[in-house]
């Protein structure tokens, strides 16, 4: 999927266009949820996700990134959404979120979710809302504890 805005910015889902070094730097040094994430983990996450990059019209420099973990049938998780600091305030985050929703619409997923600390308004513009009945959701945040309790499956 390739889309171009009136200002010439291009959104593309081609993983080959993703600037891995730039995305790794953004996530590992400036994204509170991914601080310290190693390059190998970023590369693997890109390899196993539907990815979105936003690029400048003149130099094709990457300005934003997002990825979706999905089965393309029932569920998707929008994550690692990042807009370069110098590009913020131009509606790129909203455009990116709206583009993700549009790209996944043909699959008629039952649920597309995300987690955000401070960008609720951005995602609301793309159709996201608070989770109904959040008490039904559960999570494991430290898989090391699970591995210690049940083993790592290597035996």
């Amino acid at each position: 999927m390739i889309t171009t805005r009136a200002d010439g910015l291009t959104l593309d889902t081609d993983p080959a266009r993703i600037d891995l070094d730039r995305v790794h730097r953004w996530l590992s040094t400036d994204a509170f949820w991914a601080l310290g994430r190693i390059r190998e983990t970023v590369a693997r996450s890109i390899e196993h996700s539907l990815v979105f990059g936003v690029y400048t019209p003149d130099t094709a420099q990457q300005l934003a990134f997002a990825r979706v973990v999905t089965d393309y049938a029932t569920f998707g998780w929008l994550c690692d959404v990042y807009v370069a600091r110098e590009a913020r305030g131009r509606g790129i985050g909203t455009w990116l979120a709206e583009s993700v929703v549009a790209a996944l619409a043909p699959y008629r997923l039952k649920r597309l979710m995300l987690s955000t600390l401070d960008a609720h308004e951005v995602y609301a513009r793309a159709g996201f809302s608070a989770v109904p009945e959040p008490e039904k959701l559960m999570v494991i945040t430290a898989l090391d504890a699970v591995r210690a309790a049940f083993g790592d499956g290597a035996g």
Side-chain angles (χ1 to χ4, degrees), residues 71-146:
D71 60 9
Y72 294 98
T74 63
F75 181 79
W77 181 265
L78 173 58
C79 52
D80 290 340
V81 179
Y82 188 92
V83 177
R85 288 192 174 272
E86 68 273 12
R88 294 179 186 171
R90 297 169 45 190
I92 294 171
T94 298
W95 181 47
L96 187 52
E98 290 171 344
S99 297
V100 166
V101 171
L104 293 171
Y107 300 102
R108 298 169 29 141
L109 304 180
K110 180 175 179 161
R111 193 170 282 113
L112 177 59
M113 298 181 71
L114 63 82
S115 176
T116 185
L117 180 65
D118 58 2
H120 296 79
E121 289 181 26
V122 169
Y123 297 111
R125 287 185 214 116
F128 287 89
S129 61
V131 174
E133 303 177 285
E135 66 278 3
K136 290 183 176 181
L137 295 176
M138 297 180 74
V139 64
I140 295 174
T141 57
L143 287 179
D144 289 339
V146 174

Side-chain angles (χ1 to χ4, degrees), residues 9 23 25-26 57 66-67 76 91 103 105-106 125-126 128 148:
L9 291 180
V23 171
R25 185 174 59 253
W26 286 339
R67 68 186 183 91
R125 287 185 214 116
F128 287 89

Side-chain angles (χ1 to χ4, degrees), residues 34-108:
L35 293 176
R37 189 177 290 173
I38 63 171
R39 189 177 189 279
E40 177 188 351
T41 299
V42 174
R44 198 169 14 144
S45 71
I46 289 170
E47 181 182 345
H48 296 285
S49 300
L50 171 61
V51 294
F52 295 78
V54 175
Y55 306 91
T56 60
D58 49 352
T59 64
Q61 178 182 358
Q62 189 168 352
L63 294 179
F65 172 78
R67 68 186 183 91
V68 178
V69 180
T70 184
D71 60 9
Y72 294 98
T74 63
F75 181 79
W77 181 265
L78 173 58
C79 52
D80 290 340
V81 179
Y82 188 92
V83 177
R85 288 192 174 272
E86 68 273 12
R88 294 179 186 171
R90 297 169 45 190
I92 294 171
T94 298
W95 181 47
L96 187 52
E98 290 171 344
S99 297
V100 166
V101 171
L104 293 171
Y107 300 102
R108 298 169 29 141

